[in-house]
Amino acid sequence: MKKHWIAIDWGTSNFRAFLMKEHECLDQISAPCGLLHVPDRQFAATLKPLIGNWLDEFPQLPVLMAGMVGSQQGWQEVPYVALPAGCQQLAKYTAVLETPWGSPCRIVAGVSGNNEFGLPDVMRGEEIQLIGLAARHPAPQNSQYVILPGTHSKHAELHNGEIRQFSTFMTGEIYSVMLSHSLLGRDVPPAPEDEPAFALGVTHAQRAPHLSNALFSARTLRLNGVLAPDQVASYLSGLLIGAELHAVAHKQAWIVGSPALTERYTRAAKQLGITLNSADGNACFIQGMTQIYQCLNGESA
Amino acid sequence: MKKHWIAIDWGTSNFRAFLMKEHECLDQISAPCGLLHVPDRQFAATLKPLIGNWLDEFPQLPVLMAGMVGSQQGWQEVPYVALPAGCQQLAKYTAVLETPWGSPCRIVAGVSGNNEFGLPDVMRGEEIQLIGLAARHPAPQNSQYVILPGTHSKHAELHNGEIRQFSTFMTGEIYSVMLSHSLLGRDVPPAPEDEPAFALGVTHAQRAPHLSNALFSARTLRLNGVLAPDQVASYLSGLLIGAELHAVAHKQAWIVGSPALTERYTRAAKQLGITLNSADGNACFIQGMTQIYQCLNGESA
């Protein structure tokens, strides 16, 4: 195994890279260079200057990438790995790429399978944090329930360090499109979070179990003066996060996400009697990539 | 009671007017002159030419209006009537308007109350069809469950001809914004309805009870080749209508809506073991307005 390598999380909107020495992170960069900002599929030409300083020091540094870079819209499509998926399977199905400057380069596949409701589901990128979480925080009972909040929130069940099942909730995207494009968002000003309005949304999501019905209360509570226009976004967020957490049948779960979302989810979960333990997203990503890199190099993970 | 009068349904997008002689409809017009198309609150100036032919024959014809024309964005805001609401209450709380040409004119109020989930709900316009339906099709057991599908579908319970409770489902608006603005609608071409894809959506809505989760299957079923791009809209429609009907605890209900929506809902309901009886929307509206006009004129409804 080469001592130095690069781990990259290349998603739709963002790009993050970590200069690694074995399992240790020496340096990191992030840039608003997600796939949407790559002109005309010029992935190599976009990547090279981003990691140029590191390549100057270590030419032909191996690169391991994960995220939407392995999707149809990415550098190279990597077919999904089927559930259950652990470190070994993810390492086995990485795709090999050529880079013009000679770095050996691989892209980790996403994961697909049937979710707990029997419908097909997919993830691409989140599997790394899940594998990393399982390694950083091994479960005494071998099972873990993990929430990765976001545009498309993932709820995953881990067993013995493998992803056994997961479900997607379109929480972030529904929030955004309803606020921007539906009656609910009309004349809603940008505003800081309003905790009481958020908490009311969480409560109402439990009371009104049909989301397409519950959402309308973001309108009626404004009509009857319970919500001011600058509280509507927080209420809507509480409704959607509350509806998502309604699907959690555990009293305890992990959450891996941005500090702001983690804080909101933890607050909502507490209202519902669920304790969320927060794990650091970057640390889980680095650990997951290290596990896979070690598998690829024939070392025990 | 004057023998001739005009009943008007003035909504956000559409305008319909009926020339009445007592309870009989003599003539009708419709125009794309919804409130959104009224320039600078010129309601009287917009209305007069629309009903000009009738006014030529019967000057100062009484006018009774319903719909969003009574909202904050309408001609004059009419406060909601509280549940339970019947013909007498709706007549009592109509608002009186002056018209420049001397027609006595009234606007019927909408209805507000707590829905079956304990959240505030409102309707404006649908109450007329409900009152009309109850009069046209009196229930042997005195109770009726009625679905009015649309952008904001209403499910109402009638008892002895009164609206006792109702709930709104944002089915049509969620369909439209998700298709136009979310990942689900990306590269979805306009296409005629696909019945098998619609039926699959209805089935999956029962299997996956969390809407923000179920919606994601409109993406994954496309990724795994089960749905073609031109089937996605029908599938999404089935998912949302299926989720809405999931809230119906009756084996039999009325539906009042456009022929296309009525047909879709009836098909979905049949899949779920629910029989929907269709009532004509125009006939229900005319009957409801007649009931209220008669109440206003001191006649027994």
Side-chain angles (χ1 to χ4, degrees), chain A residues 173-188 236, chain B residues 151-152 170 172-183:
Chain A
E173 190 163 16
I174 296 173
Y175 171 82
S176 148
V177 300
M178 293 304 282
L179 208 53
S180 302
H181 301 289
S182 87
L183 174 71
L184 304 184
R186 193 182 291 170
D187 300 325
V188 168
L236 190 59
Chain B
T151 304
H152 298 160
M170 297 186 74
E173 188 163 16
I174 296 174
Y175 171 81
S176 148
V177 300
M178 293 305 281
L179 208 54
S180 302
H181 301 290
S182 86
L183 173 70

Side-chain angles (χ1 to χ4, degrees), chain A residues 2-7 18-21 51-64 99 101-105 293:
Chain A
K2 292 204 181 176
K3 277 190 173 169
H4 290 86
W5 59 289
I6 297 173
F18 304 87
L19 175 63
M20 302 294 298
K21 184 182 175 188
I51 57 172
N53 286 344
W54 300 340
L55 292 175
D56 289 345
E57 196 175 347
F58 310 96
Q60 304 188 341
L61 210 50
V63 174
L64 186 62
T99 59
W101 61 89
S103 281
C105 179
Y293 189 68

Side-chain angles (χ1 to χ4, degrees), chain A:
Chain A
M1 176 184 178
K2 292 204 181 176
K3 277 190 173 169
H4 290 86
W5 59 289
I6 297 173
I8 293 176
D9 178 14
W10 205 344
T12 307
S13 311
N14 289 298
F15 171 95
R16 296 182 310 151
F18 304 87
L19 175 63
M20 302 294 298
K21 184 182 175 188
E22 294 181 339
H23 61 273
E24 190 189 347
C25 179
L26 302 180
D27 194 11
Q28 68 179 73
I29 52 171
S30 70
C33 295
L35 301 181
L36 292 176
H37 306 102
V38 173
D40 200 23
R41 304 189 60 81
Q42 297 297 305
F43 297 100
T46 303
L47 177 59
K48 199 179 172 198
L50 288 166
I51 57 172
N53 286 344
W54 300 340
L55 292 175
D56 289 345
E57 196 175 347
F58 310 96
Q60 304 188 341
L61 210 50
V63 174
L64 186 62
M65 300 192 283
M68 294 302 282
V69 67
S71 72
Q72 216 169 18
Q73 289 76 40
W75 194 334
Q76 182 173 315
E77 189 176 4
V78 191
Y80 293 104
V81 169
L83 287 175
C87 176
Q88 300 285 349
Q89 290 92 331
L90 289 173
K92 183 172 169 188
Y93 292 103
T94 50
V96 177
L97 270 188
E98 296 300 316
T99 59
W101 61 89
S103 281
C105 179
R106 285 174 180 267
I107 302 178
V108 184
V111 179
S112 71
N114 278 349
N115 63 30
E116 63 175 308
F117 309 108
L119 296 182
D121 219 317
V122 295
M123 59 167 64
R124 213 181 262 287
E126 295 92 344
E127 65 284 352
I128 308 296
Q129 289 182 318
L130 291 169
I131 295 296
L133 176 86
R136 282 175 65 82
H137 304 281
Q141 321 83 345
N142 299 325
S143 279
Q144 286 149 303
Y145 192 89
V146 190
I147 297 171
L148 300 109
T151 304
H152 299 159
S153 288
K154 306 292 179 188
H155 289 202
E157 285 176 50
L158 304 181
H159 190 73
N160 284 334
E162 281 188 342
I163 306 165
R164 177 166 280 195
Q165 198 163 55
F166 65 94
S167 303
T168 301
F169 296 80
M170 298 186 75
T171 305
E173 190 163 16
I174 296 173
Y175 171 82
S176 148
V177 300
M178 293 304 282
L179 208 53
S180 302
H181 301 289
S182 87
L183 174 71
L184 304 184
R186 193 182 291 170
D187 300 325
V188 168
E193 201 206 331
D194 183 289
E195 291 199 14
F198 177 81
L200 189 67
V202 174
T203 300
H204 286 178
Q206 315 310 306
R207 192 186 290 175
H210 303 283
L211 188 61
S212 71
N213 161 257
L215 286 171
F216 195 59
S217 65
R219 180 69 185 169
T220 56
L221 289 168
R222 188 172 159 182
L223 286 174
N224 72 8
V226 170
L227 290 179
D230 62 1
Q231 295 181 300
V232 169
S234 294
Y235 177 78
L236 190 59
S237 172
L239 263 187
L240 285 160
I241 292 175
E244 179 187 329
L245 292 177
H246 199 48
V248 178
H250 300 260
K251 284 286 156 213
Q252 194 136 349
W254 286 97
I255 182 162
V256 185
S258 71
L261 273 183
T262 294
E263 194 276 321
R264 276 192 181 197
Y265 271 72
T266 304
R267 199 155 16 98
K270 197 174 166 191
Q271 256 184 268
L272 308 176
I274 302 167
T275 304
L276 295 187
N277 300 309
S278 165
D280 182 75
N282 266 1
C284 287
F285 179 79
I286 289 170
Q287 177 86 40
M289 290 297 261
T290 302
Q291 302 281 113
I292 294 167
Y293 189 68
Q294 287 174 343
C295 282
L296 282 170
N297 288 278
E299 298 173 31
S300 140

